[in-house]
Amino acid sequence: MDNSLSIFSLILSAGFVVQVVMFILVLMSIYSWALILSKKKILIDANKDIKLFHQKFSADVDLEKLAHQTLQKATNQSSIERIFSTGFQELTHTTSNSNQVLIDAERAYRIMNTTVNNEVDRLDSGLSILAMTASSSPYIGLFGTVWGIMHSFIGLASVKQATIAIVAPGIAEALIATAFGLFAAIPATIAYNRLISQVGSINNKYTAFVEQLFVMFQRQK
């Protein structure tokens, strides 16, 4: 309990610049956690949508019927459903004879890949902020530490006899800024690496689905 109170008192007694640094790092940490939790939910939902759509896709290979069911959802489509519906709409946009099937399938393939890129960009949005937090927080904390230590040593100029008791509080206050920086950076680093890996996995699933649809579209008569 005493340790907690002493740390809290050091934070309150820190210099203005060090307190500003710590406040910035707290805001960065809070924003990072909010982004992590919201992005985690989005990725979980995306994986769930992929699983549910693949179940329907495997159970009913009638593309026209599946496309009709998907298009009925209008703006409530999941990412995987948008990829499928945009491709199927492009395939059936014009009345094609058997000689144009490959051309139509390739056109649908291109627009599906474009849709995949848009959906992955949506999943990927915001992760750059985590990367920025992970890389910049330790340096922001270090700036607070350097400033605090420098301020402490400048204060020694007016003291005739410098002792550890005089220097220690100022150095301790300054080092807390580094701790705040690491507190913001470590979760952001771990979450960024984890989330970017999950986005890559979802991208691979989308790409594999597009390749599968492309083959099926080429067989359409």
Side-chain angles (χ1 to χ4, degrees):
M1 187 68 177
D2 292 335
N3 289 335
S4 300
L5 291 174
S6 64
I7 292 174
F8 185 69
S9 63
L10 286 173
I11 294 173
L12 292 178
S13 62
F16 175 75
V17 173
V18 177
Q19 285 185 336
V20 169
V21 167
M22 289 189 287
F23 180 71
I24 292 171
L25 290 171
V26 168
L27 290 181
M28 291 175 69
S29 179
I30 292 172
Y31 185 79
S32 294
W33 275 107
L35 182 61
I36 290 167
L37 295 176
S38 64
K39 190 63 66 175
K40 183 67 177 177
K41 184 181 183 304
I42 291 172
L43 296 180
I44 289 174
D45 290 342
N47 276 311
K48 189 184 298 181
D49 291 334
I50 292 171
K51 184 177 180 180
L52 291 174
F53 187 79
H54 272 300
Q55 288 175 350
K56 290 192 294 185
F57 187 76
S58 301
D60 189 359
V61 291
D62 187 342
L63 297 182
E64 191 168 342
K65 179 180 176 182
L66 186 59
H68 179 70
Q69 293 174 350
T70 303
L71 289 171
Q72 283 183 326
K73 291 186 175 183
T75 57
N76 198 29
Q77 293 177 345
S78 65
S79 297
I80 191 76
E81 288 173 334
R82 272 192 293 273
I83 294 167
F84 170 72
S85 60
T86 53
F88 191 84
Q89 282 180 304
E90 188 64 31
L91 181 73
T92 57
H93 183 67
T94 57
T95 303
S96 305
N97 55 46
S98 58
N99 293 327
Q100 289 184 298
V101 169
L102 288 177
I103 296 174
D104 293 339
E106 288 175 0
R107 194 173 63 244
Y109 178 73
R110 286 195 295 271
I111 197 169
M112 284 191 296
N113 276 322
T114 300
T115 306
V116 167
N117 291 334
N118 292 336
E119 294 300 325
V120 171
D121 286 343
R122 184 181 64 85
L123 295 176
D124 198 33
S125 64
L127 293 184
S128 59
I129 297 176
L130 285 181
M132 181 191 70
T133 300
S135 60
S136 63
S137 293
Y139 294 103
I140 295 174
L142 183 61
F143 168 76
T145 297
V146 171
W147 184 275
I149 292 175
M150 181 179 67
H151 185 72
S152 296
F153 279 108
I154 290 174
L156 291 178
S158 59
V159 178
K160 293 182 179 180
Q161 185 177 0
T163 63
I164 191 65
I166 297 175
V167 179
I171 294 177
E173 293 169 7
L175 289 175
I176 291 176
T178 298
F180 272 65
L182 295 176
F183 180 77
I186 292 173
T189 302
I190 296 172
Y192 174 78
N193 291 329
R194 179 62 179 164
L195 293 174
I196 204 72
S197 174
Q198 291 178 351
V199 170
S201 175
I202 291 173
N203 184 28
N204 291 337
K205 291 176 183 178
Y206 286 160
T207 302
F209 179 63
V210 168
E211 295 292 338
Q212 183 182 2
L213 277 179
F214 180 48
V215 173
M216 297 181 73
F217 287 171
Q218 286 177 315
R219 295 173 183 168
Q220 296 292 305
K221 302 295 183 183

